[in-house]
Amino acid sequence: MTDGTGAYEVIRTLLYYYVSRRYGLDLSTDGIRIVGDEIRQEEWEDPVLTAENLPTPGRTDMPQALSIIKSAGLEEKRSPTVYSIAVPEDEFMRFNVENDGSPATMVSLFLSRAIARTFPESKDVIRIAMCINQRKALKAPLAHQSLVGGAMLEYKEKMRSWSLDRQATAYRGMVFAQSQEDKVLEGVASMKGISQLLLSKATEQERVGVAGMIANLSAKILTVTVSYVGKANYYDSEKYIRDFRVWTQSSGDTILIEISAVNGRFTMDFMQPFSDPLVLNAFLRELDENGITYDLQDVERLELPMCASV
């Protein structure tokens, strides 16, 4: 089991060998793991299971988050769907710098604004979980297990009249505060507790039941999850990548956005439990109004195994 950071290591290796053989090239191995490389013990060990003296997790009794599927009355129209949007990397990065944003915080902010536009009468909190890499706090940069926490970004009522750059600054401040070591380790403590609970169950059916309860809790406290590993950097192989998608499972009935940056463009994969593009269209309107060029590439039915993200 791994997350995007660990998966990118595997994909770099696969691409290196594929491109080398497909095109008969002698590519550089700098930054690439190849056959025969030593796998150090720090890569195998799960730092969550061995972590000690973790802080007590904070309370999780958050106010109800806005549920898109319920607010739009789509409970009976479930059809797991993924929409893919491509944006020029240099253009979007320039926009981020000009507005004190980053790729993940700006996507989170555009989504928050889009959802607020779509459901202006809702009193529920628009809460976006932005994924955070826990390796730095765990002092385990080489670990390749799934080590993802989250910063909770709430689009507060008082923020809605602010300028875009001021909103982006507020979101970056929320991420900074929740990326401090003690806060990240609180999330690790929660993750460790969940892992121990799952491992304590004797049967697969019991473990699936626990996973279902966790998914239901996530649906109550989250509106959307946004995940961005960072620029993939596939070195000499990257120019041969025509398209790059990241598809995985979302939590419960929430929407999941996976962002990738490969070969000069960002791809944003909208994975949702319904096919209706109401939030997607509002998001695209945000891009339009802020002068960001995009290509709505396609829409596909999302068919993935029912399991935890890998």
Side-chain angles (χ1 to χ4, degrees):
M1 300 293 287
T2 186
D3 56 18
T5 299
Y8 275 10
E9 291 283 350
V10 177
I11 297 171
R12 286 187 191 101
T13 298
L14 289 172
L15 282 169
Y16 165 79
Y17 281 108
Y18 173 79
V19 171
S20 295
R21 295 173 183 178
R22 173 69 176 80
Y23 300 105
L25 301 174
D26 183 19
L27 301 179
S28 170
T29 59
D30 290 346
I32 307 293
R33 304 293 296 274
I34 61 173
V35 173
D37 281 355
E38 176 189 0
I39 301 177
R40 286 176 281 185
Q41 189 62 30
E42 296 95 321
E43 298 182 58
W44 290 113
E45 292 175 348
D46 186 345
V48 173
L49 295 181
T50 58
E52 297 179 347
N53 301 317
L54 292 171
T56 302
R59 295 178 61 85
T60 57
D61 52 345
M62 300 179 182
Q64 175 78 37
L66 184 147
S67 166
I68 293 170
I69 194 168
K70 290 180 180 177
S71 297
L74 299 171
E75 293 96 328
E76 306 302 321
K77 299 179 181 178
R78 296 175 186 275
S79 180
T81 304
V82 56
Y83 290 90
S84 294
I85 305 165
V87 175
E89 182 181 356
D90 56 352
E91 179 182 330
F92 194 48
M93 287 305 300
R94 187 165 53 250
F95 181 86
N96 280 302
V97 171
E98 291 172 354
N99 289 279
D100 195 30
S102 66
T105 54
M106 193 58 74
V107 169
S108 299
L109 178 56
F110 281 156
L111 278 165
S112 299
R113 290 160 60 101
I115 293 166
R117 266 181 163 175
T118 306
F119 306 104
E121 303 303 321
S122 177
K123 300 302 180 184
D124 290 334
V125 177
I126 297 172
R127 184 180 296 117
I128 300 203
M130 200 189 90
C131 293
I132 292 177
N133 189 334
Q134 297 174 327
R135 289 171 177 79
K136 182 177 179 181
L138 285 164
K139 311 293 192 296
L142 299 180
H144 288 150
Q145 292 76 19
S146 183
L147 297 169
V148 180
M152 300 297 183
L153 308 180
E154 293 189 4
Y155 193 50
K156 302 180 185 297
E157 190 68 37
K158 67 179 182 181
M159 296 172 55
R160 302 190 184 190
S161 61
W162 295 356
S163 63
L164 181 71
D165 59 345
R166 187 180 177 192
Q167 290 177 341
T169 301
Y171 265 29
R172 291 199 70 175
M174 293 179 204
V175 173
F176 178 80
Q178 294 176 67
S179 299
Q180 300 305 299
E181 185 173 301
D182 57 337
K183 291 298 182 183
V184 174
L185 291 178
E186 284 184 17
V188 171
S190 295
M191 182 188 294
K192 184 170 185 176
I194 291 169
S195 297
Q196 291 171 332
L197 177 60
L198 287 167
L199 292 171
S200 71
K201 301 303 177 183
T203 68
E204 184 70 16
Q205 185 175 5
E206 289 178 304
R207 288 189 285 273
V208 169
V210 172
M213 288 190 293
I214 295 169
N216 288 336
L217 174 61
S218 297
K220 291 179 181 178
I221 64 173
L222 299 179
T223 306
V224 177
T225 299
V226 172
S227 174
Y228 174 50
V229 174
K231 188 170 176 59
N233 196 357
Y234 293 120
Y235 302 98
D236 290 349
S237 300
E238 186 156 340
K239 62 180 174 290
Y240 295 92
I241 300 173
R242 181 180 62 199
D243 195 12
F244 193 92
R245 310 294 177 88
V246 181
W247 293 8
T248 184
Q249 293 284 354
S250 59
S251 298
D253 285 338
T254 61
I255 291 178
L256 168 63
I257 315 298
E258 288 280 2
I259 309 169
S260 56
V262 179
N263 202 11
R265 66 178 179 177
F266 285 99
T267 300
M268 305 168 193
D269 291 306
F270 274 60
M271 284 152 282
Q272 51 187 50
F274 49 86
S275 60
D276 196 307
L278 76 169
V279 173
L280 173 84
N281 288 340
F283 179 83
L284 296 179
R285 183 178 168 188
E286 289 289 332
L287 297 184
D288 278 328
E289 292 182 355
N290 286 283
I292 298 171
T293 305
Y294 65 86
D295 174 25
L296 180 56
Q297 298 180 101
D298 50 44
V299 54
E300 299 280 352
R301 179 170 175 78
L302 185 62
E303 296 181 328
L304 294 171
M306 293 302 295
C307 63
S309 19
V310 296

